[in-house]
Amino acid sequence: MPRPGERRNRVRAAAAGRIEYLRRAARGPGSERDDLVLGAKSVVAAMAAWVIARYLLPPTVSTFAPFTALVALQATVYRSVRDCVQYLLAMAVGAALAASLAATAGIHGWTFGLLTLIALCVGRIERFGQQGTQVAIVGFFAFSSGQGRMDYIGHLAASVALGALCGLTAHLVLAPARHVHHRQQAVADLYTAMSRRLDDLAEIFEGNDPDTQRIRHWRRDSRKLAAECERIRTSIDSEIENSRLHPRRAVDSAEAALPRARDAVTVAERAMDHLRSLTRTVDYALESGEIENLPASFRTASSTLLRRAATAMQEIGQTSPTDSRHLDGLIADAGAELDRVERQERAAADATPAVHTLQGTVLTDIGRLLAELRSGHET
């Protein structure tokens, strides 16, 4: 059992978290504000559906109106319409099953069991999506409360249609916000972080005093960065879905920006593997002291290659359209420089085997990173 002091601390922490959540929602557009707006729309739509249904329909079916309003209010208009259609299909099938069994076999315990079995089997059909269980739920109401009567089923259908109308109307009056620029900015921030790491690695090759703890933190932080990629990809997919059936159409450039941003995340994930390997190589070279044995010309060339790769990353990840010629030139120059350094490294006869190995590993990591950027740009 937690102590009273611990419980108070938890309550305070939870309250502080909710206050900060509200502050973020008030500060500017984002997921917090979207959640609050969706909650407000859900309350208004459910209340309106319940009041109208109580005024027009029997009390036995009025609850279905606010429930359907909540089903019709999802995060995006597309998802709302999809779930609404699936729920209407499930309602129609469940009501039809209840009416058929009640008319042919009567209201009995074994017929209720048969209804349950059939409804559960039918609800597994993929077309119903997440609303498959509603086949059985609506069937139960139509069978038990409505006794399978057609007048009850008609009122039930009217209540569901009323709720769907209230929910979709709320979306049309106050459509979900568009966040195309925010998704682009998240990708740009991701590339900026990766570019900054390349610049820091370049400084190490230039002979600046390295922060070894920071490099090891990067290695530990790689999973967090990979999770950030997945989070950004999910948010972009949600925004692409949000653009479907949206009452406020975006400009053509914004529509094209989302698939481009998703492709950029894919490139970042692949490039991150090579960046992680390069960071691991530099960490080993610092810890073993082998980096001091690298020729000055090789360290200068490696630094130049890393800075060019960092500039190419900035070009790919920027929110504005990429200058294709400029990016092609950057990657081509970096590739030519890489070939020159590789030839020079193979021709060097005075280097020790350990230095040759370290040079080969560094060049391999940089080469793979450049190849990934080139492939991603072409895609």
Side-chain angles (χ1 to χ4, degrees):
M1 287 292 291
R3 297 177 180 177
E6 293 177 351
R7 285 198 297 269
R8 284 195 297 271
N9 290 336
R10 291 179 183 177
V11 171
R12 290 172 183 169
R18 299 307 298 176
I19 293 173
E20 180 60 27
Y21 178 89
L22 294 174
R23 284 177 179 171
R24 289 196 299 268
R27 193 177 301 134
S31 58
E32 294 84 0
R33 178 176 291 184
D34 292 344
D35 290 342
L36 287 181
V37 172
L38 181 60
K41 289 194 296 185
S42 299
V43 170
V44 173
M47 182 178 65
W50 183 78
V51 170
I52 298 173
R54 281 201 41 145
Y55 180 75
L56 298 177
L57 300 171
T60 52
V61 298
S62 59
T63 306
F64 280 91
F67 176 78
T68 311
L70 295 181
V71 172
L73 275 168
Q74 302 298 321
T76 66
V77 176
Y78 171 79
R79 197 179 307 171
S80 298
V81 173
R82 182 197 64 191
D83 286 9
C84 232
V85 170
Q86 290 174 342
Y87 181 72
L88 290 173
L89 287 174
M91 183 276 298
V93 172
L97 285 175
S100 300
L101 280 175
T104 57
I107 308 296
H108 307 290
W110 67 271
T111 52
F112 183 84
L114 182 60
L115 169 66
T116 304
L117 176 62
I118 297 174
L120 290 176
C121 293
V122 172
R124 292 180 177 271
I125 297 176
E126 186 176 355
R127 187 174 296 274
F128 292 115
Q130 296 181 348
Q131 306 300 327
T133 55
Q134 299 301 323
V135 175
I137 294 173
V138 173
F140 292 163
F141 276 93
F143 191 83
S144 299
S145 300
Q147 302 293 301
R149 298 190 312 272
M150 292 306 298
D151 59 341
Y152 178 87
I153 294 175
H155 289 146
L156 176 61
S159 181
V160 170
L162 176 62
L165 181 62
C166 289
L168 294 178
T169 299
H171 259 333
L172 293 176
V173 172
L174 187 61
R178 305 295 297 271
H179 297 297
V180 176
H181 178 72
H182 289 84
R183 307 311 177 211
Q184 288 180 286
Q185 190 59 52
V187 175
D189 292 343
L190 174 65
Y191 271 84
T192 298
M194 297 172 64
S195 176
R196 190 178 298 118
R197 292 189 181 187
L198 285 174
D199 283 332
D200 288 344
L201 291 175
E203 289 186 2
I204 292 175
F205 280 103
E206 289 169 356
N208 294 338
D209 188 24
D211 186 350
T212 55
Q213 293 300 322
R214 188 179 183 187
I215 294 176
R216 286 166 190 172
H217 172 71
W218 289 349
R219 294 184 62 180
R220 294 191 299 268
D221 199 45
S222 59
R223 290 185 180 180
K224 182 179 178 181
L225 204 56
E228 181 68 7
C229 281
E230 186 60 32
R231 186 194 66 79
I232 294 174
R233 183 196 301 279
T234 301
S235 68
I236 292 173
D237 289 340
S238 298
E239 190 58 37
I240 290 176
E241 180 186 280
N242 190 32
S243 65
R244 301 174 185 170
L245 303 180
H246 201 283
R248 295 198 304 267
R249 303 300 297 174
V251 296
D252 294 338
S253 59
E255 295 293 347
L258 291 171
R260 175 182 174 274
R262 183 170 57 184
D263 292 340
V265 173
T266 301
V267 175
E269 286 178 323
R270 295 173 181 170
M272 202 176 297
D273 292 335
H274 308 309
L275 178 57
R276 188 183 303 117
S277 177
L278 181 61
T279 304
R280 196 163 48 237
T281 300
V282 173
D283 186 24
Y284 164 77
L286 289 171
E287 186 176 3
S288 63
E290 287 293 337
I291 197 168
E292 301 296 335
N293 299 326
L294 292 175
S297 59
F298 178 84
R299 296 178 65 169
T300 300
S302 298
S303 173
T304 301
L305 287 170
L306 289 173
R307 292 198 184 278
R308 288 180 177 176
T311 304
M313 277 191 169
Q314 290 281 27
E315 283 287 330
I316 293 177
Q318 64 185 3
T319 57
S320 58
T322 301
D323 186 341
S324 184
R325 288 187 178 181
H326 181 54
L327 183 57
D328 284 337
L330 284 173
I331 296 177
D333 290 346
E337 178 68 11
L338 177 65
D339 292 339
R340 185 192 67 78
V341 177
E342 286 179 336
R343 289 194 300 270
Q344 180 180 341
E345 188 272 331
R346 286 194 296 267
D350 55 344
T352 64
V355 170
H356 267 305
T357 301
L358 179 57
Q359 287 177 320
T361 303
V362 169
L363 293 178
T364 298
D365 288 335
I366 295 176
R368 288 174 176 172
L369 177 60
L370 290 173
E372 201 62 66
L373 295 179
R374 181 185 300 109
S375 175
H377 168 51
E378 292 171 354
T379 301

